[in-house]
C-alpha cells in the first residue's frame, strides 16, 4: 500500500529538514524519510561550521546570538538554533614547520568580538534534531530507520520504496540524501557528471590540545594525508580530521606522523582522545549537476554539489527547492516548468559563479616538498582577508602569491620551475589519477 503526499523528502540533513519544514508550514502534506534512527547523532566527518558575512550562493548569512537564529536576509528566512556555539575568527594554512598563512587576525578579531567572527561552530546533531522537532510540530510525517532502495515514476506521481517494501508517493520528491545519494544513482543523474574520485575522511575529538590562535579552522599542508583542526562546541574539545583521495594512504599513520612531528607534537603534549567520538566516511565525489531535476525529482544539498555544499548552502537549496514545489502544486504545474524558479536559482547562484567543477590538475604534494611549502608559507607575513568561504580563500591566496612571483623566481627558481610544470598539467590528467586511486563509481 502506498502512502500519498504532496512532497516526499529523502534525507533528514540540513537540506531535507528545511525543505520539509518550509513545505509543511505552507500547506503541503509532507513525508520526510531518513535511514538513521537518531538524528541527534552525526557519524560523518563534519566540522559543523556556519560561514558568515561573505557572499555564498547569493546570500550573506548572519547569526543572531540574542534570538538564536541563523539569518538569510536576501532569501528571507532564518533557522533556529539554541545549542552551544563557538566563534571562529579566521582560517589558517600551516606548513610542516608550523609556519602559518593567516586568513584573518585571530587575536585582533577576538578583541573586537562577535562582529569580527567569520564563522560560528554548532552542534550539528542538535541543529538537525531541532529542525526535525519543528517539522513534527508543523505536521511533517517523519519516518526514521527508513532506507530508500528504489524510485520510479507512475502516471500520478513519483514513488520511492524503502527496505521493508513500504512505498511513499509524492507529486514531487526532493532528494537530499547526501554525497553518496542513492536517488541520484537510481534516476541516472550521476551519468551526467564527472566522477572525481573517492574521498576518505576520518575524524576524532581531543581534549587538551594547546597552541596559539586556536579560534581558527586550520588546514595543515605538506603531509601524506590532509590534516585539519577546528574547535568544538564542547568546551576544551578539538575536532581533528585526516583525509585522502588515495586508497593507499593510511589515514591513521598520516595523523600520527603529524601529531609526532617536531612542529606539532607540542600541540598534543597534553592531548587525550575522547572515547566514543570518532567517525569516518567514504564518499564518491562528482562534479556538480548542471540541472538538479529529473521527472519531478529535485536534487538538493550534497546530492548534487561538488563534495560539500556546506550547511549554509544546503539550507538555501532546501528552502529554494521547497518554495518551487509549493508554487508548482498550488498552480497545478506538476512538471519541470512548475519548479523552474529552483532551476533558475541553481544556474544563477551555483553554476554561474562556481561552475560544475570536476576538472583537477596537479596535486601539490606530488610536486612541492615540505621544505618548499615551508618557504612559501613564510612569504606571506600579513593576515589576508578573514573568511571561511573556500572560493574567497583560493582567490586571496592566488593573489598573494602572484605578487610574490618575482621574489620566488629570484630566490627559488627551482620552485618557480615546479609551478610551471604544475601549470602545464592538463586537468583531465589529474582527474584520471584520482579516479585510478578511488573505488568503483556506482552510477
Amino acid at each position: 500500500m502506498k502512502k500519498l503526499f504532496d512532497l516526499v523528502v529523502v534525507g533528514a540533513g540540513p537540506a531535507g529538514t528545511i525543505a520539509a519544514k518550509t513545505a509543511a508550514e505552507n500547506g503541503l502534506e509532507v513525508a520526510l524519510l531518513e535511514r538513521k534512527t537518531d538524528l541527534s547523532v552525526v557519524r560523518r566527518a563534519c566540522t559543523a561550521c556556519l560561514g558568515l558575512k561573505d557572499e555564498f550562493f547569493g546570500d550573506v548569512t548572519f547569526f543572531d546570538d540574542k534570538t538564536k537564529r541563523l539569518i538569510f536576509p536576501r532569501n528571507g528566512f532564518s533557522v533556529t538554533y539554541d545549542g552551544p556555539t563557538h566563534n571562529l575568527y579566521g582560517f589558517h594554512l600551516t606548513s610542516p614547520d608550523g609556519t602559518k598563512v593567516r586568513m584573518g587576525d585571530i587575536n585582533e578579531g577576538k578583541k573586537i568580538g562577535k562582529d569580527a567572527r567569520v564563522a560560528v561552530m554548532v552542534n550539528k546533531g542538535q541543529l538537525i534534531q531541532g529542525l526535525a522537532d519543528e517539522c513534527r510540530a508543523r505536521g511533517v510525517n517523519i519516518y526514521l530507520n527508513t532506507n530508500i532502495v528504489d524510485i520510479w515514476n507512475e502516471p500520478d506521481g513519483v514513488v520511492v520504496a524503502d527496505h521493508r517494501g513500504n512505498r511513499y508517493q509524492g507529486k514531487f520528491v526532493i532528494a537530499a540524501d547526501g554525497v553518496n545519494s542513492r536517488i541520484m544513482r537510481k534516476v541516472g543523474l550521476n551519468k551526467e557528471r564527472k566522477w572525481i574520485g573517492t574521498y576518505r575522511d576520518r575524524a576524532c575529538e581531543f581534549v587538551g590540545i594547546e597552541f596559539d590562535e586556536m579560534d581558527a579552522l586550520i588546514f595543515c599542508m605538506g603531509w601524506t594525508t590532509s590534516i585539519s583542526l577546528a574547535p568544538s562546541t564542547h568546551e576544551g574539545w578539538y575536532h581533528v580530521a585526516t583525509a585522502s583521495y588515495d586508497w593507499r594512504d593510511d589515514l591513521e599513520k598520516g595523523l600520527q606522523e603529524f601529531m609526532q612531528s617536531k612542529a606539532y607534537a607540542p600541540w598534543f603534549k597534553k592531548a587525550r582522545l575522547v572515547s566514543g567520538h570518532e567517525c569516518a566516511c567514504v564518499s564518491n565525489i562528482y562534479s556538480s549537476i548542471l540541472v538538479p531535476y529529473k521527472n519531478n525529482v529535485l536534487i538538493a544539498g550534497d546530492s548534487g554539489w561538488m563534495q560539500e555544499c556546506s550547511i549554509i548552502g544546503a539550507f538555501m537549496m532546501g528552502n529554494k527547492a521547497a518554495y518551487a514545489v509549493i508554487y508548482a502544486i498550488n498552480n497545478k504545474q506538476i512538471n519541470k516548468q512548475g519548479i523552474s524558479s529552483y532551476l533558475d536559482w541553481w544556474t544563477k547562484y551555483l553554476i554561474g559563479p562556481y561552475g560544475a567543477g570536476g576538472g583537477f590538475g596537479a596535486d601539490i604534494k606530488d610536486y612541492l616538498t615540505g621544505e618548499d611549502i615551508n618557504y612559501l608559507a613564510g612569504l606571506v607575513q600579513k593576515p589576508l582577508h578573514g573568511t571561511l568561504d573556500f572560493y574567497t580563500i583560493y582567490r586571496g591566496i592566488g593573489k598573494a602569491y602572484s605578487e610574490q612571483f618575482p621574489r620566488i623566481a629570484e630566490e627559488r627558481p627551482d620552485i618557480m620551475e615546479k609551478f610551471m610544470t604544475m601549470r602545464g598539467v592538463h586537468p583531465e590528467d589529474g582527474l584520471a589519477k584520482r579516479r585510478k586511486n578511488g573505488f568503483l563509481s556506482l552510477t
Side-chain angles (χ1 to χ4, degrees), residues 202-207 255 270-278:
R202 178 181 178 275
C204 51
E205 303 277 356
F206 282 90
V207 294
L255 179 59
K270 299 178 181 179
R272 176 173 55 84
L273 185 68
V274 180
S275 178
H277 287 267
E278 300 176 80

Side-chain angles (χ1 to χ4, degrees), residues 91-219:
F91 173 88
H92 290 166
L93 288 173
T94 70
S95 69
D97 69 358
T99 304
K100 297 175 184 177
V101 178
R102 295 172 170 84
M103 272 62 74
D105 189 319
I106 307 302
N107 294 327
E108 286 300 313
K110 291 177 70 173
K111 290 178 185 177
I112 296 170
K114 65 181 182 181
D115 288 340
R117 63 189 173 186
V118 300
V120 60
M121 307 291 297
V122 299
N123 182 310
K124 189 176 181 180
Q126 193 166 337
L127 174 66
I128 298 303
Q129 186 61 62
L131 277 167
D133 293 342
E134 290 188 60
C135 284
R136 286 194 179 91
R138 287 159 175 77
V140 175
N141 300 272
I142 299 179
Y143 299 90
L144 301 178
N145 192 26
T146 300
N147 191 30
I148 299 306
V149 297
D150 206 356
I151 181 171
W152 64 88
N153 287 84
E154 293 186 354
D156 54 351
V158 187
V159 179
V160 293
D162 69 17
H163 65 293
R164 300 186 188 89
N166 298 314
R167 298 180 179 183
Y168 312 82
Q169 179 176 307
K171 296 171 183 176
F172 288 96
V173 166
I174 293 179
D177 52 335
V179 68
N180 290 323
S181 170
R182 180 168 290 171
I183 300 296
M184 288 289 287
R185 298 203 304 269
K186 286 292 184 179
V187 301
L189 283 174
N190 278 349
K191 295 177 181 179
E192 302 175 15
R193 310 163 75 190
K194 287 184 180 180
W195 177 46
I196 296 172
T198 303
Y199 192 72
R200 297 180 303 124
D201 200 330
R202 178 181 178 275
C204 51
E205 303 277 356
F206 282 90
V207 294
I209 293 178
E210 295 179 351
F211 60 94
D212 293 335
E213 301 179 319
M214 296 182 68
D215 295 310
L217 179 61
I218 299 175
F219 274 28

Side-chain angles (χ1 to χ4, degrees), residues 40-53:
S40 67
V41 177
V42 177
R43 290 298 186 191
R44 59 162 289 184
C46 179
T47 55
C49 178
L50 307 179
L52 306 175
K53 293 190 175 179

Side-chain angles (χ1 to χ4, degrees), residues 230-416:
S232 169
T233 55
H234 290 88
E235 185 66 30
W237 290 25
Y238 228 77
H239 179 92
V240 181
T242 177
S244 176
Y245 270 102
D246 193 332
W247 66 270
R248 296 167 297 184
D249 288 340
D250 186 327
L251 298 185
E252 178 61 26
K253 182 180 179 181
L255 179 59
Q256 291 301 320
E257 288 176 349
F258 167 77
M259 293 172 56
Q260 295 168 15
S261 66
K262 181 179 179 180
Y264 296 97
W267 292 18
F268 293 88
K269 187 176 181 180
K270 299 178 181 179
R272 176 173 55 84
L273 185 68
V274 180
S275 178
H277 287 267
E278 300 176 80
C279 61
C281 61
V282 178
S283 307
N284 267 325
I285 309 300
Y286 293 84
S287 61
S288 298
I289 187 73
L290 295 179
V291 181
Y293 172 88
K294 186 174 182 179
N295 298 335
N296 285 14
V297 178
L298 292 79
I299 311 301
D302 289 345
S303 301
W305 190 240
M306 296 177 290
Q307 189 165 347
E308 293 184 3
C309 65
S310 80
I311 295 173
I312 295 288
F315 280 148
M316 282 190 273
M317 291 181 191
N319 177 264
K320 288 293 183 181
Y323 270 113
V325 170
I326 293 165
Y327 175 89
I329 289 177
N330 280 285
N331 283 276
K332 296 181 171 51
Q333 286 184 280
I334 315 300
N335 51 36
K336 185 176 183 180
Q337 182 60 35
I339 55 89
S340 62
S341 64
Y342 182 57
L343 306 185
D344 292 344
W345 175 82
W346 185 283
T347 300
K348 180 177 180 180
Y349 290 108
L350 281 69
I351 302 303
Y354 307 110
F360 284 83
D363 192 327
I364 289 177
K365 71 179 182 180
D366 291 339
Y367 294 85
L368 299 180
T369 67
E371 191 278 328
D372 293 338
I373 295 172
N374 290 336
Y375 166 78
L376 292 169
L379 296 180
V380 182
Q381 298 293 322
K382 295 181 180 180
L384 305 178
H385 171 67
T387 181
L388 249 68
D389 174 64
F390 282 88
Y391 297 93
T392 303
I393 288 170
Y394 296 150
R395 289 192 294 268
I397 291 174
K399 183 176 184 297
Y401 279 101
S402 65
E403 294 172 352
Q404 295 286 342
F405 277 175
R407 178 179 175 181
I408 297 171
E410 180 180 352
E411 296 179 350
R412 294 294 303 270
D414 58 315
I415 293 181
M416 281 302 297

Side-chain angles (χ1 to χ4, degrees), residues 44-86:
R44 59 162 289 184
C46 179
T47 55
C49 178
L50 307 179
L52 306 175
K53 293 190 175 179
D54 274 311
E55 183 165 316
F56 186 56
F57 291 180
D59 213 331
V60 181
T61 52
F62 299 89
F63 186 77
D64 183 69
D65 297 88
K66 182 178 180 180
T67 60
K68 304 297 184 182
R69 302 190 76 83
L70 178 66
I71 302 166
F72 297 80
R74 293 180 182 171
N75 284 278
F77 75 100
S78 61
V79 178
T80 300
Y81 172 73
D82 61 359
T85 61
H86 189 107

Side-chain angles (χ1 to χ4, degrees), residues 4-8 23-24 27-31 139-141 169-170 329:
L4 304 179
F5 303 92
D6 293 314
L7 172 65
V8 175
L28 300 192
E29 186 71 18
V30 181
V140 175
N141 300 272
Q169 179 176 307
I329 289 177

